[in-house]
Amino acid sequence: MDDLLKWRVLPLLVLLASSLVLYSRILPKKSISECSLLPYDHFWIASKRVVTPQGVINGAVEVKQGKILSVVEASIQKGLLSGEKVVDYGEAVIMPGLIDVHVHLDEPGRTEWEGFSSGTKAAAAGGITTLVDMPLNSFPSTVSEETLRMKVESTKKKIYVDVGFWGGLVPENAFNISMLEGLLRAGALGLKSFMCPSGINDFPMTNSTHIKEGLYVLAKYKRPLLVHAEVVLDSGISEELHSGSLDPRSYATYLKTRPPSWEEAAIKDLQEAIHDTRTGGQAEGAHVHIVHLSDAKASLDLIKDSKRNVPEDATASVSVETCPHYLAFAAEEIADGDTRFKCAPPIREAANRQKLWEALLEGHIDMMSSDHSPSVPELKLFDEGDFLRAWGGISSLQYVLPITWTFGQKIGVSFNQIAAWWSERPAKLAGQKYKGAIVIGNDADFAVWEPEVEFDLDENHKTFHKHPNNSPYMGRRLSGKVMATFVRGNLVFSDGTHAPAACGTPILAK
Ligand SMILES: NC(=O)NC(NC(N)=O)C(=O)[O-]
Ligand SMILES: [Zn+2]
Ligand SMILES: [Zn+2]
């Protein structure tokens, strides 16, 4: 190096070194090694089965500073990767991380039911990289700017994956535009309401007028309304129930109390609101999403009707989810007193389950969610086994991927279909432009799993739900083991172990 160059370069080097020292001092408190089990900021992950929107490729994904920098096929990958940090997952499947848009984490207020720490650890162990928390079962319910702030505050240092929040649409705020706008401006990704009692006192049900009012406000923010679509009808068995001639321990009794007509009536009630979301409609810009569809007959037919574009240029904005428990279990198989299976709407007969799978495969049902709704075991009333009085809600968060695969593979479900149901479409519903697919520029959120590996959900299996025995999947054999989970480039779970620090971020709509 000649002298002149030396005197020009040296001061620059000194400056660079001192700024590096300074930078390391002002680095965020959590270093990458606490947030991630992989101490690199720039690396590749490779496998023979990488699920991209264009199909499954043998290739590698380059990750830098939490983002996907490139996706390459094996044929061109060789020279490119020499000297790079590569984690080779061999035959394991690399999929976009799952996005679960329907989870009750119950914090603040009912952390003994689940809470952000155990809930997001379970998510990470299950390949879920983003979840959206429901506004009820925590206390208080998330129905205002202030209560949303309390939620976000209570996630601090506890979340292992990214977490968004639905706000609640309840009678108290439905006619109070400034309260609703406050909630949406504070970052709620959308709203959720019940058309029947929710089981939670501070989360009352809404009628179709409340729903319409809510949709007008949502239209302005271009965010969705999620609806628990059941309305209470006289199921024609009240006399038998009162006379005690129906056994409350029998699942058939519970099934009779919540017939498919409850779902059908609710979706009928929603038709007008759905119609308002069409191009040129009063709620254009808003979207109606029906949660946890169980009835695959008349209710599904109504949804199909409302999705049909009449006229063609005025498409209503509507979608629907179903949950693994409606696809895995059948009413005929549920033993007396086994209240782990109680949820609303109920798990129906095997013939209905078959139709739900068909609707998913045909694209009439858009996506899946867990509706993980845990509680303390006492509320499940295991000793009495009373289906009518036990808490309704299924615990399944950690297992949704293996459950979907265990049952889905028998009817030829593909990895791309799973990615559409569990990542792509949920990302769209939650307004997450940079999540849900392995494409350049997206967040580096991945689930790495081994479809061929079977495992027993017994006491030796590490389960991170706070109350694993509440889950009706315990004791089952599943296929599809989650090996590793990456959230924005951080390896947050690998081979049974979580990263030391909880570095998920709260997701707030802007
Ligand atoms: N309060 C609840 O968590 N309810 C939930 N309960 C179920 N699905 O049984 C729900 O999503 O409706
Ligand atoms: Zn519900
Ligand atoms: Zn729910």
Side-chain angles (χ1 to χ4, degrees), residues 102 192 194 228 291-292 344 371:
H102 190 154
K192 157 77 180 290
F194 269 71
H228 178 128
V291 300
H292 55 41
D371 189 14

Side-chain angles (χ1 to χ4, degrees), residues 52 215 366 397 425:
T52 75
L215 277 178
D366 304 276
L397 185 60
R425 293 179 192 150

